[in-house]
Structures are given as structure tokens and as C-alpha cells.
Amino acid sequence: MLTLTSVWTTVLLAAAVALGPLATDMYLPALPQIGRDFGTGTDQVQLTLSLYMVGFAIAQLICGPLADRFGRKPIMIGGFVLFAIASIGCALATNIETLILCRFLQALGGSAGPVLGRAAVRDIYTPREAARILAILASIMALAPAIAPTIGGLLTASLGWSSIFLALSGYALVMAVVVAIGIPEPMRPEHRQSLKIRSLLKNYSTIARDISFLGYTLTNALIFSGLFAFLSGSSFVLIDFLGVPTEHFGLYFACMVAGYVVGNLSAIRLGSKLLPDQILVRGLLIAVAGGGLMAGLALSEVYNVWAVILPQALFMIGTGMVLPQTMSGAMANFPTMAGSASALFGFIQMAVAAIAGMLVGHLHDGTSLVMATIIAACAACAMGCYLLLVQRYPAKGFEAQTATSS
């Protein structure tokens, strides 16, 4: 068994965290084919993605407290097994309703990897060391959505979309075995907590009433919703509307991921020169510019691949700058309730994103207009949350520009 501070332990935790984006992004190229096979509309197919996010959101509120009581490993292993079984159900689904249900169950299990992988890092390392390890995990996480759609497109083109879910099931089972025999339990026995409902509800109530937390969380959730709107609509826009071959979808998708990586690296580079709030507002301005450009081109009926990809890459540069700052800001006021704050933060993020995904599916008109408009609206609303909440109620250590200049 590996030691907790081993490099290979970090690699295995990164592989566990990667399960979330793999489950979301690998089957994106297959969405149009799934709709054709089941003879259903875009809105129904989109529910397989949006309800996955709903399940993921709900599971975070449950997964964290269970892991605080019983340890990280048993909950993580149980989640992987549930994910694997649900993935097989997805592969065997004969109608869209069964696929939607199995995707929801898949999300309940899939949340264990990302949520508890990050929690394990906090268990193992000091705060300063944890920041470095989490940065490594974030870099690996950026690779997963870059690779996943390409793999999914190739599998769909050669073996059919069911093969994607069989591959995900195999991945989850391998991870369950590796975690069971390869990683010691990272949580100390004396840190185990009670599962008393009253205490959990009190913590969540305290966090939810903090205006600073709500400001950062809603800003994050809205920017993430713009990203999720692209995930929900991109395969229909690029493959069905603009004629991109399924096996090439991942190559265009990688341009979006490259934008996110550029934003991440820019935030790291600027971190020594600017306050987190200053990085945040710059990222928001870039995201608003990207979303507005895409919507403007769509309104002008400029319909081609690069009129979608390049503005989205610009939006993702802003997203890469915004998400780390808003996550840190939301957690800043709750050093003793970080687990509960993280769970509520994730729940709100995923719930808002699911709504954006449902809107894309319900309103889709066969062009890029609906997707582009929703992305632009999410960016504009995120800027509004920043101006109305974050600037007025900054978290400690995240002083807003208006505060620093006064």
C-alpha cells in the first residue's frame, strides 16, 4: 500500500477526481446519435446531462457528511461501484427514460471521486502543501475534458454510444480496486464527526445566511452555467447544425479547454501582483466579452465553427480566472466548516448549471443562437452578482477594489 504523501497517491487521487469531467464530457459527441436512436427531441436528450448535474448536486450534500463520519475510502469505493453499475444500465438502456434514470444514479456515485478526492488532499497535507497539490489536480482535471470528447467521438463512430458507458464502468471499477488496496484511509479517527441532522442543518443555515458566501458562490455558479450551457448545446450546434464529424468534435472542444488552461495560468501568474478580487473582475470582463461576441455573431447570423469556438475560448479564459478566485472567496469565512461550505457551494453551482442546461435543451432552435444567448446572459448575470454582492461584501483577504481604493 502506498504512503499518503507518495507521488503515486496524488496521481491516484487525480484519477479519482477526473471521473466527474470524464462522465460529463466523454459522451457529448454521442448526444445527437442518442436522440436519433431513441427518436426523441433535443430537450429530452439534454435531460441526460442536466439531471446528471442535479444528482451530482444532491449527492455532494450527502457524500461529505457521510465521509466525515465513516471515512473517505468506504464512501469513495461505494460511489465508484454505484457509478459502475449505473453506467452499465446506461449502456443497456432501450429508451430515453431509462437512460435519464441511470444517468441520475451515475451522478450519485460519480460525485464521490471529485468531492472526496479533494477532501483527502486536505486530510493529508498542510494548507500550504494542499494548495500546491490541488493545483496539480486542477491541471490534470483540465486534461480530462480535453481528451474525453475525442475518445467519446471515436468510440461512438466505431462501436456505438453504448461503448462509452461500458468504458466509464470499467474505469470506475478499476478505481474502486485501486483505492481499496492502494491508498490508506487519509482521515484521522479523532476527526470523525457526528451525523446529527440538527448540527448539519445548523451549519448549512449559518453558511447560507452569509452574504459574502452567496456573492462568490452565485458569481461562480453563473460563470460555470455559461460553461455548462456550452457543454449542453455544443454537440448539437457543431455536429448537427455546422456539420462537424463526430470523431472531430473533440479537436474543436480542445480549443475551449486550452482557453481555460490559459485563464488558469494567467491567474497564477497575476497572483503575485494583484489581489484575488482584481483577478476576478478581469476574468469577468473577459467572460462577458466572449459571451457577448458569440451572441452578437449569432444574432448577425454569422454561422460557422469559428464563430462559436473562438468566442467560447475567450469566455473560457475568463472562466479559468474566475472559478479559482470565487471558490477561495466562498470558503474564506468558514475555516472550521470548510466541508459543509464546500458541499453547499457545489450544490448551488451544479443546481444553477442544471437549469442553464435545461434551458438550452428546451429552447434550442437548431442554430447556435439559443446557446450563445444563454452563455452571454450567464456572464452578464455573474458580473451583476459581483457588482451587487462581492464588491459590497468581500470575504476577508479578498478586499474588493472599491474597498482597497478608499
Side-chain angles (χ1 to χ4, degrees), residues 13 16 28 66 105 117 142 170 188 206 210 218-219 238 268 283 290 294 314 318 324 329:
L13 289 175
L28 291 179
L66 286 175
L105 295 176
R188 297 178 183 178
T206 299
D210 187 285
L218 289 174
T219 302
L238 294 178
I268 293 171
M294 189 192 299
L314 183 62

Side-chain angles (χ1 to χ4, degrees), residues 134-371:
L134 287 171
I136 295 172
L137 295 187
S139 299
I140 297 174
M141 284 278 285
L143 293 176
I147 299 171
T150 300
I151 296 173
L154 292 172
L155 287 173
T156 300
S158 58
L159 300 174
W161 59 264
S162 295
S163 63
I164 295 173
F165 293 105
L166 293 177
L168 287 171
S169 178
Y171 183 93
L173 289 175
V174 169
M175 288 307 306
V177 173
V178 168
V179 170
I181 66 176
I183 303 177
E185 172 59 52
M187 190 176 75
R188 297 178 183 178
E190 62 269 23
H191 289 171
R192 294 181 187 271
Q193 299 181 12
S194 170
L195 281 177
K196 291 181 179 178
I197 299 298
R198 182 178 297 179
S199 297
L200 295 176
L201 293 178
K202 182 180 178 181
N203 287 346
Y204 283 137
S205 176
T206 299
I207 297 164
R209 291 197 304 268
D210 187 285
I211 299 178
S212 173
F213 171 85
L214 291 176
Y216 287 104
T217 299
L218 289 174
T219 302
N220 178 290
L222 286 162
I223 285 294
F224 185 79
S225 295
L227 163 59
F228 191 70
F230 181 80
L231 295 180
S232 298
S234 59
S235 59
F236 296 98
V237 170
L238 294 178
I239 296 173
D240 281 354
F241 177 52
L242 297 176
V244 171
T246 301
E247 60 270 25
H248 294 166
F249 174 82
L251 299 177
Y252 291 102
F253 197 85
C255 295
M256 181 201 76
V257 178
Y260 180 77
V261 172
V262 169
N264 263 172
L265 295 176
S266 299
I268 293 171
R269 184 179 180 84
L270 292 171
S272 60
K273 303 175 183 178
L274 301 176
L275 291 172
D277 175 79
Q278 294 172 316
I279 300 172
L280 170 57
V281 73
R282 283 163 172 76
L284 285 169
L285 288 170
I286 294 171
V288 169
L293 177 60
M294 189 192 299
L297 290 171
L299 285 168
S300 302
E301 298 186 355
V302 178
Y303 294 135
N304 62 68
V305 171
W306 296 112
V308 173
I309 294 299
L310 293 181
Q312 182 63 21
L314 183 62
F315 176 88
M316 291 305 297
I317 292 174
T319 299
M321 297 172 70
V322 168
L323 295 188
Q325 316 309 319
T326 48
M327 183 177 296
S328 298
M331 302 297 109
N333 289 346
F334 303 100
T336 61
M337 292 188 287
S340 296
S342 178
L344 186 58
F345 174 91
F347 173 81
I348 294 172
Q349 181 195 58
M350 297 297 177
V352 175
I355 293 171
M358 290 178 186
L359 286 174
V360 171
H362 184 70
L363 301 175
H364 181 60
D365 65 350
T367 73
S368 60
L369 180 60
V370 169
M371 181 185 74

